[in-house]
Amino acid sequence: TANGKLDLSIPVKKINTKELIKDVEISYTENWQINHWRAITSAYKNSPYFEFFEEEINYFYSNEFKFLLEYNTEQLKLILKLLKVKKDISFTTTFEKETTLTDHRNTIHPKIEFTKDKIVASKLNTPYYQTFESKFKFQPNLSILDLLFNKGLETVEYLKG
């Protein structure tokens, strides 16, 4: 944003017991959708590709989803579609504490600062144009929206490194 990096998180309904991730519900008691969309628009309206993707991204800030997993999955599907990347999305049916797969479940957490030692691939630190680059130095690891609005369809090539 014009004031630097801004973290956006989606509020969820609180319950007393542990619940499955698929059962986490989004809370709409605050106007987070309006606040998020205003922040995104303010930060990216002058970026090179904002107008190309604005309508499809805005869908997530003008429609309600009951579950956080549904919201995130639909966003992921849209990003893959916009980038013309064909990937199957599947989910586990049970929790596995240990896994042989690459596990990033604890890499990013809204209450823990994202630090350089958590950066998965250093190639993602390669600077590209960002809307407020005249005010701030390059900010790596912001979001897929930052890449999409600033690099457009070149995002895929950037991620491939």
Side-chain angles (χ1 to χ4, degrees):
T1 71
N3 298 317
K5 187 171 83 167
L6 175 67
D7 293 327
L8 300 175
S9 22
I10 298 171
V12 295
K13 292 181 180 178
K14 308 284 187 229
I15 64 169
N16 293 329
T17 59
K18 288 194 175 199
E19 63 186 319
L20 298 174
I21 190 74
K22 71 176 187 64
D23 296 328
V24 174
E25 292 186 35
I26 298 174
S27 173
Y28 291 95
T29 57
E30 19 181 307
N31 292 325
W32 68 268
Q33 286 180 297
I34 292 169
N35 294 335
H36 283 204
W37 186 246
R38 283 182 184 155
I40 291 167
T41 302
S42 175
Y44 294 109
K45 67 183 173 203
N46 294 322
S47 64
Y49 298 97
F50 180 77
E51 290 179 3
F52 292 100
F53 304 113
E54 175 182 10
E55 186 177 320
E56 290 169 296
I57 300 298
N58 180 264
Y59 174 81
F60 295 96
Y61 302 95
S62 55
N63 292 282
E64 289 189 8
F65 292 77
K66 183 173 182 176
F67 297 104
L68 184 61
L69 182 61
E70 173 194 15
Y71 182 88
N72 288 338
T73 303
E74 291 306 311
Q75 278 194 327
L76 177 59
K77 287 178 183 176
L78 175 63
I79 295 298
L80 292 172
K81 178 184 145 199
L82 293 177
L83 297 176
K84 298 176 171 98
V85 173
K86 293 183 180 178
K87 290 281 181 190
D88 290 324
I89 300 171
S90 61
F91 299 94
T92 58
T93 55
T94 59
F95 177 77
E96 296 178 27
K97 194 168 187 166
E98 301 292 324
T99 179
T100 58
L101 303 171
T102 304
D103 187 358
H104 294 293
R105 290 178 287 189
N106 297 309
T107 303
I108 298 173
H109 189 282
K111 295 180 181 175
I112 300 171
E113 179 67 26
F114 187 77
T115 58
K116 288 190 181 235
D117 62 321
K118 293 183 179 179
I119 295 172
V120 177
S122 60
K123 66 183 175 188
L124 298 182
N125 287 327
T126 305
Y128 57 86
Y129 168 82
Q130 290 178 321
T131 310
F132 295 101
E133 72 177 13
S134 63
K135 194 171 181 180
F136 303 103
K137 65 179 184 161
F138 175 72
Q139 299 287 310
N141 306 303
L142 288 181
S143 72
I144 191 64
L145 291 183
D146 187 69
L147 267 170
L148 193 62
F149 291 148
N150 287 309
K151 298 217 38 95
L153 296 179
E154 293 176 22
T155 296
V156 175
E157 292 306 312
Y158 178 86
L159 291 172
K160 287 180 180 176

